[in-house]
Amino acid sequence: MNPRVIVALDCPDAKEALALAGRLDPALCRVKVGAELYTAAGPALVEKLQQSGFGVFLDLKFHDIPNTVTGACLAAADLGVWMINVHALGGRAMMEAARAALARKRAAPKLIAVTLLTSIGAADMGEMGLSGDPREAVSRLAHLAQACGLDGVVCSAQETPTLRRQLGNGFWLVTPGIRAEGAAGDDQKRVATPRQAIAGGADYLVIGRPITRAPDPLAALRAINAEIAG
Ligand code: C5P
């Protein structure tokens, strides 16, 4: 059983996160713990989620010198999480060091990279001294992550078909910004349906509000899984 949906537990504290997880089924999804929740609730929450059977994507987007990021990745590996991530903008040495350190672990989490944050546009790139447009930067950074031996990247559904073509099969594309046909996009500007994202080459879908704010989160999750399977 390899659920394709990763439910974003974008909650402020452990109580809310555990209540939400209690309304989901670990056989049907994994969960994502991000910076807000992890800062509030820490390793204890991750352990509780795992004890309940959930695979955890620890979305802390490490970005620091190689030695520090390596230490952080090893600490995450010791938590037993399923997947972690780093910023590709941390550079080759950082990604290769993290990869090499995890390779020495018996049970290492999958290691993926964030390319360019979707909040960064062309004007921001110019201001930061980054060349090219965001699409080129995403492709360049995804290639770099692959060359460093990482397992995949986070990317939008718009980028997925191009990256799948450029990077081949076997490199994970993990895609947020998923909304059912006709549903509210919330603050997401470019959205795709679960079926579109999978057809475009996504391996895993990160989904928050369409599940977490649904009156019945488990029913929403089941409907999305059915759409993917169909
Ligand atoms: O509620 P929603 O489905 O929009 O949540 C999407 C999740 O994916 C959030 O946790 C958000 O931080 C994350 N994410 C995103 N866009 C990115 C990277 C991560 O929406 N480019």
Side-chain angles (χ1 to χ4, degrees):
M1 188 71 195
N2 181 25
R4 306 274 215 128
V5 173
I6 304 168
V7 177
L9 299 180
D10 291 324
C11 305
D13 57 38
K15 189 161 167 254
E16 214 175 285
L18 290 170
L20 177 54
R23 302 185 68 190
L24 300 170
D25 179 346
L28 303 182
C29 68
R30 293 184 172 91
V31 293
K32 177 169 90 74
V33 174
E36 180 190 10
L37 181 57
Y38 191 75
T39 302
L45 170 74
V46 171
E47 261 157 48
K48 280 193 191 132
L49 291 168
Q50 293 182 142
Q51 278 162 9
S52 305
F54 289 98
V56 174
F57 169 22
L58 193 59
D59 177 25
L60 298 181
K61 303 184 179 71
F62 298 134
H63 186 174
D64 210 314
I65 58 171
N67 186 56
T68 302
V69 167
T70 297
C73 289
L74 291 175
D78 287 339
L79 284 177
V81 297
W82 167 66
M83 185 160 79
I84 61 177
N85 59 0
V86 298
H87 269 284
L89 281 167
R92 178 184 287 274
M94 187 203 79
M95 286 193 279
E96 286 183 346
R99 173 77 291 163
L102 288 177
R104 291 192 291 273
K105 279 274 172 191
R106 205 159 32 87
K110 291 289 180 182
L111 177 64
I112 65 172
V114 173
T115 55
L116 195 66
L117 292 171
T118 43
S119 52
I120 293 183
D124 303 296
M125 286 182 63
E127 198 171 41
M128 294 162 76
L130 297 173
S131 64
D133 67 15
R135 221 163 1 150
E136 287 161 358
V138 166
S139 170
R140 202 161 63 223
L141 291 165
H143 277 94
L144 179 61
Q146 188 177 46
C148 293
L150 268 64
D151 297 300
V153 289
V154 181
C155 64
S156 78
Q158 276 64 39
E159 296 154 355
T160 302
T162 307
L163 291 181
R164 177 57 70 215
R165 246 189 338 271
Q166 293 177 342
L167 302 167
N169 291 326
F171 191 67
W172 285 5
L173 301 179
V174 177
T175 305
I178 304 297
R179 292 295 180 272
E181 199 77 62
D186 301 310
D187 54 354
Q188 297 281 16
K189 297 217 171 64
R190 292 179 302 277
V191 299
T193 67
R195 195 195 295 263
Q196 284 166 346
I198 294 287
D203 295 286
Y204 294 97
L205 310 180
V206 174
I207 307 181
R209 288 160 290 182
I211 292 172
T212 61
R213 301 232 177 125
D216 183 345
L218 186 58
L221 173 60
R222 282 189 203 283
I224 288 168
N225 278 340
E227 180 182 328
I228 293 169

